């Protein structure tokens, strides 16, 4: 049974940092490109960052480029998103999935950026 469990969200002031984690189980994590998505209230879920199988190539949405860093540890079946210089517009529920949203979505983790 595939499970994707996101964690690490919270309330942070503008300019602050958070590190999200995505624990994957029930599938061969190491052979899938993985992606972080986010969904703000009233908006559709959108892509934040993608990482290839080996971690050698990463892609970012223009809105987070230079501020967020995606990484993965295949030995732990875990993906990460380091978020720095957070802005109020980064407020959203963050989700992880294989590229294209292949698997059942997890619960996500709420990130709120506010003073």
């Amino acid at each position: 049974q595939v499970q994707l469990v996101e964690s690490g969200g919270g309330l942070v002031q503008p300019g602050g940092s958070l590190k999200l984690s995505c624990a994957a189980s029930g599938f061969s994590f190491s052979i899938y490109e993985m992606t972080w998505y986010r969904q703000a209230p009233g908006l559709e879920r959108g892509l934040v960052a993608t990482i290839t199988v080996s971690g050698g190539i990463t892609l970012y949405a223009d809105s987070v480029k230079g501020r967020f860093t995606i990484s993965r540890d295949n030995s732990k079946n875990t993906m990460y998103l380091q978020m720095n210089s957070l802005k109020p517009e980064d407020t959203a529920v963050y989700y992880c999935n294989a590229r294209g949203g292949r698997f059942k979505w997890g619960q996500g983790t709420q990130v709120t950026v506010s003073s």
Side-chain angles (χ1 to χ4, degrees), residues 13-98:
Q13 292 187 342
S17 298
L18 284 173
K19 186 173 184 177
L20 307 184
S21 297
C22 167
S25 60
F27 66 100
S28 298
F29 177 80
S30 63
I31 66 171
Y32 285 92
E33 294 185 349
M34 294 294 294
T35 299
W36 282 102
Y37 300 84
R38 68 185 180 187
Q39 186 170 20
L43 298 178
E44 292 187 355
R45 186 153 38 203
L47 185 149
V48 175
T50 294
I51 188 166
T52 54
V53 166
S54 67
I57 298 174
T58 56
L59 299 172
Y60 298 91
D62 287 344
S63 59
V64 306
K65 206 171 291 184
R67 300 187 297 121
F68 290 11
T69 302
I70 188 172
S71 62
R72 66 191 295 166
D73 185 338
N74 288 339
S75 69
K76 297 181 179 180
N77 288 352
T78 302
M79 178 174 65
Y80 305 97
L81 187 67
Q82 176 67 47
M83 306 186 297
N84 298 329
S85 302
L86 282 161
K87 304 176 180 180
E89 50 264 43
D90 294 318
T91 294
V93 179
Y94 285 71
Y95 302 87
C96 63
N97 210 318

